[in-house]
């Protein structure tokens, strides 16, 4: 396909609006079947990226949505947190960063369809899972069919509807779908009650969704809600302080089972590999494929770019036809009368102590919109899905290798293939997080009657890739298809694997990458991984140090606090009062005015927890895991020229999981502070 079809369709519809004064533009028809979404009669493979609008200042929305679009995201997903908009009972606040309608209008202007996840329970590491504190004084059972609870839900949904009215898909707006509740395991009748409320109010969308995990106690009627799945490379929610806790390793193996038994294990024990009856009749979509991972106080994963890329390729190779990343764009908890982070001492969803402010999530786009390396590596996969989704979507997945491997099992190459007729794709994953899989020698594939390469090859450790079979006139290739635009076929050379392309009855061996300007054969262009990840990207953002501000230490830390174990038997995060005894630093001579635009404060430190203050007000925090603490200087008041950093020291034998990248030497220090800028 020559353009990003999913975005293009909406952009074309939106472009009609200026010429229509008394009627809405008509969006294309959205349908689904057991395989995929069908837009305007054509199969598509969307990329859905989660961004929480209320966790970003409203003046950053447009740029953030554009960055997501540049990264290959074709659908936006966002939570509507109840306690972000009704902190006080009966008083709804839709202003500023809470203005859902304005966010939807931004998405409409950018031609981005939207899926809203409206709770009432969301989780999202929000306090009480997003349910306001005042609710718990009522003695009403939450997430139930109690009429009193459903009355409150109806009031909430009516308020949300005021924000979306006129912006639904049928109106020419961006709102395409809606999810009810989250990670619910009770009876489907509750979810149907939520949908009934929404539809009576006026919600009328092409489809509705729910999370497909865990298994429901009783199903919802077929066709009412599409179950969407997830998988993560690691989880902050595990109580373990060991590096490879839980069964996240299963996410790195191709398998027919759609769901995960590793999500929400602090709430749902001993999950079985079982879907709700009938769910296999739906298309295989995800809404929570780990684009990164947050850090809890007791468990602080360090996520690698390869983690996210491997998960995505494995999901495609296992049959998924919609990749939905959680998170794709990080954020910051909004200002409120109380802290809005999940904590063990809150009335509900009190399983983990999360940072007060930061929700960076180590996502492809971080808390301040800064791109991490997997933003670029995932792009090439998204280009492939956009241009070859119509071909890939109807293909069935096959699993020639065992589907129930043990952690770190290295007995053979992990691979799958999807095919229809004599065409297909081979998916290879020789990577597992925190495990060293060996190089696999003498590898050949036999797919769709095609054996390749011409002789056995070695697949290096860590290799993750996709090979085509009888696609676009290519009989086979040991290079990855990236895009097909304007008659040109772009492929990526896989490091360590000799590129072999069989085409026109010839076998081209040891083909070398020539870049996007010089074909290696007729209309075929072979790119390096770096070139492939930035193909068609006009704004190629990089981070560079531009300044060294002045840093002064004001006072040393006063002793070590006593680390307590909370109600969920994991270490509790420090309280506000603990920071009265923290080491105190002042960062001075910060740039002012327009010099702050696009600039990040980068604090490379060692410690337990760091907090950043502006004029005595907490503006951000960080649970140390080896990465620096960042802050977008453009968010500061114009007259501010210095910030205060408070750091609690690391202690010996803390009941906390620190990754190997963290320097756990007892004590604290600021090693270096720099100011970085986004350079085009």
């Amino acid at each position: 396909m020559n353009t990003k079809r999913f975005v293009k369709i909406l952009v074309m519809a939106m472009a009609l609006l200026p010429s229509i004064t008394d009627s809405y533009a008509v969006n294309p028809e959205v349908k689904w079947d057991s395989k995929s979404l069908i837009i305007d009669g054509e199969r598509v493979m969307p990329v859905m990226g989660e961004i929480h609008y209320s966790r970003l200042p409203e003046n950053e929305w447009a740029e953030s949505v554009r960055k997501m679009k540049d990264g290959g995201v074709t659908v936006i997903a966002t939570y509507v947190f109840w306690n972000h908009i009704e902190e006080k009972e009966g008083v709804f606040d839709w202003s500023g960063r809470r203005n859902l309608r304005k966010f939807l209008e931004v998405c409409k202007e950018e031609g981005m369809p939207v899926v809203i996840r409206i709770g009432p329970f969301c989780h999202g590491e929000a306090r009480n899972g997003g349910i306001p504190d005042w609710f718990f004084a009522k003695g009403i059972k939450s997430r139930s069919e109690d009429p009193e609870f459903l009355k409150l839900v109806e009031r909430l949904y009516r308020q949300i509807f005021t924000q979306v009215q006129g912006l639904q898909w049928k109106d020419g707006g961006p709102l395409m779908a809606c999810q009810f509740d989250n990670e619910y395991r009770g009876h489907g009748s509750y979810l149907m009650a939520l949908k009934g409320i929404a539809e009576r109010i006026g919600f009328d969308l092409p489809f509705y969704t729910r999370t497909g995990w865990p298994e429901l106690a009783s199903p919802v009627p077929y066709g009412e809600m599409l179950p969407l799945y997830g998988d993560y490379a690691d989880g902050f929610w595990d109580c373990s302080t060991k590096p490879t806790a839980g069964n996240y390793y299963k996410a790195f193996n191709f398998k027919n089972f759609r769901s995960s038994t590793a999500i929400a294990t602090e709430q749902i024990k001993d999950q079985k590999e079982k879907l709700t009856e009938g769910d296999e009749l739906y298309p295989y979509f995800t809404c929570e494929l780990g684009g990164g991972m947050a850090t809890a106080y007791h468990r602080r994963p360090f996520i690698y770019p390869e983690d996210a890329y491997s998960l995505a390729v494995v999901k495609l190779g296992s049959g998924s036809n919609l990749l939905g990343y959680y998170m794709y764009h990080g954020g910051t908890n909004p200002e409120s009368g109380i802290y809005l982070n999940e904590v063990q001492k809150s009335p509900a969803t009190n399983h983990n102590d999360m940072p007060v402010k930061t929700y960076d999530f180590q996502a492809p786009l971080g808390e301040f919109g800064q791109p991490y390396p997997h933003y670029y590596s995932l792009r090439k996969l998204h280009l492939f899905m956009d241009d070859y989704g119509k071909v890939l979507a109807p293909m069935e997945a096959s699993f020639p290798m065992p589907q129930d491997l043990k952690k770190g099992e290295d007995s053979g190459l992990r691979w799958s293939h999807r095919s229809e007729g004599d065409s297909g794709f081979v998916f290879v994953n020789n990577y597992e997080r925190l495990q060293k899989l060996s190089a696999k020698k003498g590898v050949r594939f036999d797919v769709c009657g095609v054996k390749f390469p011409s002789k056995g090859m070695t697949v290096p450790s860590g290799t993750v890739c996709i090979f085509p079979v009888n696609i676009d006139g290519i009989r086979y290739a040991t290079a990855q298809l990236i895009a097909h635009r304007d008659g040109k076929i772009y492929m990526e050379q896989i490091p360590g694997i000799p590129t072999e392309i069989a085409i026109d009855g010839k076998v081209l061996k040891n083909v070398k990458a020539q870049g996007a300007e010089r074909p290696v054969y007729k209309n075929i262009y072979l790119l390096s991984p770096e070139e492939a990840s930035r193909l068609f990207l006009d704004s190629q953002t990089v981070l560079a140090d531009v300044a060294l501000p002045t840093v002064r230490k004001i006072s040393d830390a006063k002793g070590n606090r006593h680390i307590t174990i909370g109600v969920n038997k994991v270490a509790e995060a420090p309280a506000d009062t603990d920071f009265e005894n923290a080491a105190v630093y002042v960062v001075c001579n910060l740039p002012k005015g327009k010099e702050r635009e696009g600039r990040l404060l980068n604090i490379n430190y060692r410690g337990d927890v760091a907090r950043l203050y502006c004029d005595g007000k907490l503006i951000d925090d960080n649970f140390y895991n080896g990465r620096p603490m960042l802050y977008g200087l453009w968010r500061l008041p114009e007259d501010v020229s210095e910030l205060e950093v408070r750091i609690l020291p690391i202690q010996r034998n803390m009941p906390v999981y620190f990754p190997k990248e963290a320097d756990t030497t007892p004590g604290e220090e600021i090693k270096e502070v720099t100011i970085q800028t986004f350079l085009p």
Side-chain angles (χ1 to χ4, degrees), residues 82 92 120 147-161 193-194 196-198 200-201 203:
W82 187 359
F92 285 87
E148 294 302 312
F149 178 68
L150 294 181
K151 283 182 183 178
L152 292 172
V153 172
E154 180 170 351
R155 186 179 70 183
L156 169 67
Y157 282 11
R158 285 189 181 279
Q159 278 286 323
I160 295 173
F161 187 70
L194 299 182
I197 292 170
R200 288 195 300 273
I201 290 169
F203 282 88

Side-chain angles (χ1 to χ4, degrees), residues 460-501:
S461 174
T463 296
V464 183
C465 60
I466 306 170
F467 297 141
V469 178
N470 288 325
I471 302 291
D472 271 350
I474 300 172
R475 183 161 174 77
Y476 70 80
T478 56
Q480 182 165 325
L481 281 172
I482 302 298
H484 189 166
R485 308 281 173 95
D486 301 322
K488 298 178 180 179
I489 299 171
Y490 298 92
M491 306 187 78
E492 176 193 3
Q493 186 165 48
I494 307 303
I497 293 181
T499 298
E500 188 170 297
I501 303 173

Side-chain angles (χ1 to χ4, degrees), residues 329-375:
H329 193 309
T332 311
N333 286 329
E335 292 297 314
S336 177
I338 58 174
Y339 289 156
L340 291 173
N341 57 311
E342 177 183 337
V343 291
Q344 293 184 71
K345 292 180 178 179
S346 61
T349 318
N350 53 352
H351 295 278
N352 307 279
D353 284 350
M354 308 302 294
V356 171
K357 301 295 291 184
T358 185
Y359 198 64
D360 179 85
F361 214 86
Q362 304 174 77
L365 292 171
E367 181 178 4
F368 305 100
Q370 73 275 18
Y372 289 120
H374 48 309
Y375 172 79

